[in-house]
Amino acid sequence: MSKLVTIYGGSGFVGRYIARRMAKEGWRVRVAVRRPNEAIHVKPYGVPGQVEPVFCNIRDDMSVAAVMQGADAVVNCVGVLNELGKNTFGAIHAEGAGRIARIASQQGVASMVHISAIGADADAASEYSRTKAAGEAAVQQHFPGAVILRPSVIFGAEDGFFNRFAGMTRLSPFLPIAAGGTRFQPVFVDDVAKAAVKGALGETEGGVYELGGPEVKTFRALMEQMLEVIHRRRVIISLPGFVAKLVAFGFDLLQYASFQLIENKMLTRDQLKSLKSDNVVSEAAKGFADLGIDPVSVGSVLPDYLWKFRPSGQYDEMTSSARNLRNGA
């Protein structure tokens, strides 16, 4: 274990998968997070002492530099979906990414991987997408050889997409969604991790890679697929544009009025702007094929972790079989 990788945000949804794979490659893994005591779950990814969470605030130069000391590779997974306090889109996506790239270049780090997002565009309607584009520009300025990954919506056992909507089906016979016609190309989190590891190991050339799974589906179609997996019947309601705006404004107002004690994890006005654009891989973009990775489909993974939302959980198949036998008798 002679080589070291520093993964900023390495305990999060995507970061933990990258950390696990880098540990399997025999690297020492330094997981840089704001709350190391809440990142203890990464330690068993390797042998004792191989994977260690350390404190870091990516808004501070000294903090970023300290956890990068001696690193052969750097991966930046830090991102926010909603602004809270000083953790604004600009501070995290743009300034934070640029800071990591600048310091990595100064310290002579061999390779860098930056996780961005499909839709990153300086002229985008949403602040999220504009700052993602600014972050990419800063990374390319300071570390021209960096591998930049732009995934579509990411799914996996700990995701905040399918898990959130599946959880909502327990509360109501209705499932409200906004922009049901928007197209997505869901990508499995471990496939994103594979791509990041290739970049960290220097096994692919630098540049921007757009990552999407093998299927393109509308938001509504994905919810229908999710409902089929969890064996629940719910009425999917596509909210009209003006209603979605009112809902998003209401949740944003609640966060503001509570002095951010209540975080808007449902729908923000900025997220609504992002939902107006399709989230799919562009035709001319480099992607999984250029990385030698065959991505898995949504249908092959969802049942592995959404079973807990079925009416009888892990026993749902058994109860369904028993019900069928009774009906047949």
Side-chain angles (χ1 to χ4, degrees):
M1 295 188 293
S2 59
K3 290 194 173 182
L4 169 68
V5 58
T6 297
I7 306 178
Y8 294 89
S11 67
F13 175 39
V14 178
R16 67 181 67 188
Y17 284 82
I18 300 173
R20 183 185 292 115
R21 285 195 165 273
M22 290 301 292
K24 287 182 178 179
E25 292 289 336
W27 283 51
R28 290 182 294 127
V29 182
R30 187 179 289 157
V31 175
V33 293
R34 285 185 299 161
R35 301 183 183 90
N37 59 308
E38 296 179 8
I40 303 300
H41 59 271
V42 302
K43 298 186 70 147
Y45 293 168
V47 299
Q50 184 181 4
V51 183
E52 290 293 336
V54 295
F55 170 77
C56 177
N57 180 355
I58 69 165
R59 302 196 310 270
D60 180 76
D61 276 31
M62 292 183 64
S63 184
V64 170
V67 299
M68 200 186 294
Q69 288 289 335
D72 300 279
V74 166
V75 181
N76 177 33
C77 303
V78 183
V80 292
L81 294 174
N82 183 24
E83 295 180 311
L84 284 175
K86 295 181 179 180
N87 293 319
T88 62
F89 291 139
I92 302 300
H93 297 163
E95 297 170 16
R99 179 175 292 109
I100 292 171
R102 170 171 52 81
I103 294 174
S105 179
Q106 293 171 351
Q107 293 196 9
V109 175
S111 58
M112 176 177 178
V113 178
H114 173 63
I115 308 296
S116 184
I118 284 182
D121 185 348
D123 298 320
S126 73
E127 183 70 9
Y128 174 90
S129 298
R130 291 197 299 271
T131 54
K132 280 291 188 180
E136 289 184 6
V139 168
Q140 291 175 320
Q141 175 188 351
H142 296 293
F143 207 111
V147 171
I148 297 175
L149 304 178
R150 291 179 177 175
S152 182
V153 60
I154 305 175
F155 67 93
E158 306 87 358
D159 72 47
F161 185 69
F162 287 110
N163 277 301
R164 178 173 59 171
F165 288 102
M168 290 170 61
T169 64
R170 291 170 166 173
L171 307 175
S172 168
F174 304 102
L175 183 62
I177 61 174
T182 299
R183 298 186 305 150
F184 291 92
Q185 196 169 349
V187 57
F188 184 41
V189 61
D190 199 40
D191 289 334
V192 177
K194 290 177 183 177
V197 169
K198 281 183 174 288
L201 297 179
E203 295 178 352
T204 186
E205 63 181 10
V208 178
Y209 296 81
E210 295 194 354
L211 308 181
E215 301 171 301
V216 175
K217 292 188 175 183
T218 64
F219 192 177
R220 185 184 184 90
L222 290 173
M223 293 298 98
E224 292 172 346
Q225 183 176 10
M226 179 266 293
L227 288 172
E228 184 177 348
V229 169
I230 65 175
H231 303 165
R232 291 182 185 269
R233 294 182 179 179
R234 295 294 183 266
V235 179
I236 300 175
I237 301 176
S238 293
L239 300 176
F242 75 96
V243 175
K245 287 181 180 179
L246 287 174
V247 171
F249 176 78
F251 283 121
D252 279 345
L253 181 61
L254 178 62
Q255 176 175 299
Y256 176 79
S258 67
F259 299 97
Q260 300 189 343
L261 293 176
I262 300 176
E263 181 182 352
N264 182 1
K265 295 183 179 181
M266 298 302 295
L267 179 66
T268 69
R269 286 172 293 176
D270 196 74
Q271 288 168 357
L272 191 58
K273 292 176 182 178
S274 295
L275 282 172
K276 293 180 179 179
S277 302
D278 288 339
N279 199 264
V280 298
V281 173
S282 55
E283 293 183 3
K286 293 190 292 185
F288 278 125
D290 301 276
L291 295 168
I293 298 172
D294 186 19
V296 301
S297 66
V298 174
S300 64
V301 177
L302 283 191
D304 292 340
Y305 68 94
L306 288 188
W307 55 263
K308 58 183 176 289
F309 295 104
R310 293 171 178 171
S312 300
Q314 60 182 322
Y315 303 108
D316 205 61
E317 296 287 353
M318 186 183 303
T319 55
S320 296
S321 298
R323 190 180 305 111
N324 291 336
L325 285 173
R326 288 197 301 271
N327 293 337

